[in-house]
Amino acid sequence: MTATGTGTGPGPVSSTGIRLNAPDPGWSIDADVVVVGSGVAGLTAALRCAAAGRRTVVVTKARLDDGSTRWAQGGIAAALGEGDTPEQHLADTLVAGAGLCDETAVRALVTEGPDAVHRLISTGARFDTAPGSDEIALTREGGHHRRRIAHAGGDATGAEISRALVEAVRAAGLRTIENALVLDLLTDADGHTSGVTLHVMGEGQHDGVGAVHAPAVVLATGGMGQVFSATTNPAVSTGDGVALALRAGAEVSDLEFVQFHPTVLYLGAEAEGQQPLISEAVRGEGAHLVDADGTRFMVGRHELAELAPRDIVAKEIMRQAHEQGVDHMYLDGRHFGAQMWETRFPTILAACRSHGIDPVTAPIPVAPAAHYASGGVRTDLRGRTTVPGLYACGEVACTGVHGANRLASNSLLEGLVFAERIASDIASETAASPAPASTPPVPRTTLPLLAPEARITVQRIMTAGAGVLRSAESLARAAAELDRIHREAAGRNGTPATREPSDGTVSGSTGSTTSTGSTAAAPADRKAPEPGVEAWEATNLLCVARVLVAAAQRRAETRGCHWREDHPDRDDASWRRHFRITLDADRALTLHTTATADFPPTAAS
């Protein structure tokens, strides 16, 4: 069904009818808007929708304050300081994005950003101020030519923003469903969003699988860092929103651009799961990257040295480590002194000391780890996806702001600005559309569930084959291993395997390629896993991993945070474009390309 009218997003699409293998909903509630996620993007959207008179329900995977936002250390970027302007912020963002930012989206971000920050302050967020002044204290981070990063609690900005928004949501009396994993999008007979199914994990008013019926759904589910072995993301960041959107027929874009934060506390080659972040603000305040001999290696590599954009710093750390035959470098902030560490970076100081490292007296061992997905569910400038009634904002979305590499501390700002834009779009409707009391059964295809124990295998495959350093060989190996896992899961579940993505090159600015593939029988001694949270998460991770690898294989160049060892140069003539990826009804991936100037299209009036 072609999407039309003011509720549409960037283009027409039909629902795939693909769902996770899960029980039918045993309970339901009605709303005007359901917001999935409780970070800065989700809670801002929820508060603004509720203020516009929309019955709003917030669904979140853990507790309200357990998302990625509270882990943000450095701060929020905006042109707030004397002499700074949105134009300068725009210029730095475009440089970091390596030719793939949508300038219209970036301009919206930087011009609306300062007022959005002030509205956040009026909501209750308290930022650090300069000594003896009421002015917001500002610092610098990588890629910024000015001090424009507002921070709170020294290095606990995310925690403060989360606190303020959670308190505001509770004070407003919004209905919230915590400890709930969203499963799939519900659509009506015309393909319009009609709510979501979700599984509540044994707490609250409802338990088990249920549904929230609403004509507008806002995905604010955060990132997918858990697709890699080592990440700064919390355990809940399993790509649920991107996987849901793909199953619903929405387009995703730019998943190959995964930002690896250059300075994550190195805990050994075998360390897995969430790793402590060493904020870029530490370098912004003057810490130096050095090797084991104490020699700085970023000087002369970039005009901003340690404050170069993150992709450049991560690459240089990896190059230096490989040249010296080691796994990590060091961040030296000993010259700060104890007082500065204790007052400006108390969270980082405590994390380091908990692992036996004292930054006051010794350099911090650091290495890159998966940090942020610059791509995600493709939206227009109002946050609308290609599925009518489905919106996305925050890390789960691809608004065109970040391009091939997010500029430091633009993420919290993007969550604020585009959440407000979504709420404005929803509120602009003359009346909320009624949600159906129940959704009639529709033919559906279920994805084969992945066994929970396969999650760590997927993560290791992705780290080895699609991490900071990539090549045709490493990506082909990762694709083949992921394909094997998928086919085995399909065999155990008694369903045909997804046709696999071709590794052929897409030519032309609007060309398309559809994948081909095969089926596999299940090992005789293995049974299909039971539906449940761990199996659903593992299945979502496998889905986004396969899409990421397919896109990375296709992009035969190095750009932003996508580093191909076999194609070390940026190629604007061939690759200054985006991939738009969909999941067809037969569970095959289809990759299209679009010229940069066409992404994302202007929202329909």
Side-chain angles (χ1 to χ4, degrees):
M1 181 64 65
T2 301
T4 58
T6 59
T8 66
V13 74
S14 298
S15 173
T16 65
I18 300 172
R19 298 287 186 266
L20 284 174
N21 184 2
D24 291 331
W27 54 269
S28 67
I29 60 176
D30 294 335
D32 297 324
V33 184
V34 56
V35 177
V36 186
S38 59
V40 62
L43 295 188
T44 299
L47 286 166
R48 300 294 183 266
C49 286
R54 297 295 186 258
R55 294 176 301 158
T56 303
V57 173
V58 177
V59 174
T60 188
K61 194 172 179 181
R63 305 295 294 178
L64 277 181
D65 60 353
D66 278 343
S68 294
T69 290
R70 77 181 183 95
W71 296 97
Q73 295 175 343
I76 184 168
L80 299 167
E82 184 177 354
D84 197 5
T85 65
E87 287 296 322
Q88 295 176 66
H89 190 182
L90 181 143
D92 286 345
T93 301
L94 295 180
V95 169
L100 286 187
C101 295
D102 178 78
E103 186 169 340
T104 305
V106 178
R107 192 171 296 279
L109 177 83
V110 300
T111 56
E112 298 172 21
D115 286 344
V117 172
H118 285 296
R119 283 190 290 273
L120 179 62
I121 292 171
S122 68
T123 302
R126 297 187 291 266
F127 289 95
D128 296 338
T129 56
S133 170
D134 292 331
E135 297 294 320
I136 296 175
L138 302 172
T139 189
R140 280 183 68 194
E141 291 185 356
H144 294 273
H145 283 79
R146 283 191 175 273
R147 299 177 74 90
R148 65 169 65 99
I149 315 300
H151 49 84
D155 58 358
T157 309
E160 170 58 18
I161 291 174
S162 181
R163 179 204 62 78
L165 290 174
V166 168
E167 288 186 4
V169 164
R170 288 175 173 155
L174 269 67
R175 185 165 189 173
T176 61
I177 304 176
E178 296 179 289
N179 302 296
L181 171 64
V182 67
L183 300 176
D184 282 300
L185 188 73
L186 294 172
T187 55
D188 62 22
D190 295 322
H192 194 289
T193 295
S194 62
V196 293
T197 56
L198 64 157
H199 175 80
V200 180
M201 294 173 268
E203 295 184 28
Q205 183 177 353
H206 301 287
D207 293 338
V209 175
V212 180
H213 297 291
V217 171
V218 181
L219 289 180
T221 53
M224 55 185 186
Q226 289 290 328
V227 78
F228 294 94
S229 295
T231 178
T232 62
N233 290 189
V236 295
S237 297
T238 52
D240 307 318
V242 171
L244 174 149
L246 279 165
R247 292 192 297 272
E251 289 180 351
V252 302
S253 189
D254 294 356
L255 287 198
E256 67 269 35
F257 297 117
V258 176
Q259 186 177 86
F260 289 79
H261 198 290
T263 53
V264 175
L265 183 61
Y266 180 75
L267 299 177
E270 302 303 316
E272 294 179 327
Q274 185 178 10
Q275 310 292 301
L277 174 67
I278 309 299
S279 170
E280 200 148 319
V282 177
R283 281 174 282 141
E285 296 292 354
H288 302 141
L289 283 166
V290 299
D291 61 17
D293 295 326
T295 302
R296 291 179 66 183
F297 55 87
M298 285 302 300
V299 177
R301 306 284 180 94
H302 189 275
E303 61 165 330
L304 296 177
E306 280 89 356
L307 289 178
R310 288 178 176 174
D311 62 307
I312 294 173
V313 178
K315 291 171 188 176
E316 293 301 332
I317 289 175
M318 295 297 291
R319 283 197 181 108
Q320 197 75 8
H322 284 185
E323 288 176 5
Q324 298 184 8
V326 295
D327 294 325
H328 64 282
M329 290 286 110
Y330 295 89
L331 186 62
D332 193 351
R334 289 176 291 179
H335 53 286
F336 288 175
Q339 183 177 3
M340 182 173 177
W341 275 110
E342 291 166 0
T343 58
R344 180 67 178 86
F345 301 112
T347 305
I348 296 171
L349 178 64
C352 289
R353 284 177 170 170
S354 71
H355 291 283
I357 300 159
D358 189 348
V360 176
T361 59
I364 305 169
V366 293
H371 181 60
Y372 191 89
S374 292
V377 185
R378 184 170 178 259
T379 75
D380 64 17
L381 298 181
R382 299 182 190 178
R384 300 179 298 185
T385 74
T386 51
V387 175
L390 177 64
Y391 297 80
C393 59
E395 190 174 355
V396 71
C398 186
T399 62
V401 161
H402 302 309
N405 186 41
R406 175 178 67 96
L407 180 66
S409 287
N410 268 357
S411 54
L412 292 174
L413 190 70
E414 184 197 31
L416 275 180
V417 169
F418 283 87
E420 291 187 341
R421 283 179 155 250
I422 287 172
S424 177
D425 192 70
I426 292 173
S428 69
E429 300 293 333
T430 55
S433 302
S438 62
T439 300
V442 296
R444 67 183 186 182
T445 302
T446 57
L447 281 182
L449 287 182
L450 191 62
E453 58 267 23
R455 172 173 173 161
I456 194 168
T457 303
V458 171
Q459 292 169 327
R460 290 173 177 173
I461 289 169
M462 291 298 291
T463 295
V468 179
L469 302 179
R470 301 168 178 176
S471 67
E473 181 181 357
S474 75
L475 290 167
R477 185 169 57 250
E481 291 172 342
L482 294 173
D483 173 32
R484 173 186 55 78
I485 293 172
H486 173 74
R487 286 185 287 112
E488 290 180 356
R492 283 194 298 273
N493 285 264
T495 57
T498 304
R499 293 189 292 128
E500 299 310 314
S502 163
D503 61 359
T505 300
V506 177
S507 59
S509 63
T510 58
S512 68
T513 296
T514 302
S515 56
T516 60
S518 59
T519 61
D525 60 342
R526 301 289 295 277
K527 293 183 179 180
E530 291 295 322
V533 172
E534 291 182 345
W536 291 324
E537 285 186 334
T539 302
N540 285 338
L541 281 176
L542 179 60
C543 176
V544 297
R546 297 175 69 233
V547 174
L548 193 162
V549 169
Q553 284 183 291
R554 206 63 62 83
R555 184 171 292 280
E557 65 160 354
T558 289
R559 182 186 296 270
C561 50
H562 171 68
W563 187 9
R564 286 283 297 261
E565 293 181 283
D566 51 337
H567 295 282
D569 299 320
R570 173 170 152 177
D571 182 0
D572 281 347
S574 300
W575 295 110
R576 191 169 181 263
R577 61 192 71 218
H578 303 263
F579 298 134
R580 297 179 289 115
I581 304 174
T582 56
L583 187 63
D584 292 340
D586 61 358
R587 303 195 309 277
L589 295 176
T590 302
L591 279 72
H592 311 271
T593 63
T594 182
T596 303
D598 297 330
F599 178 88
T602 302
S605 59

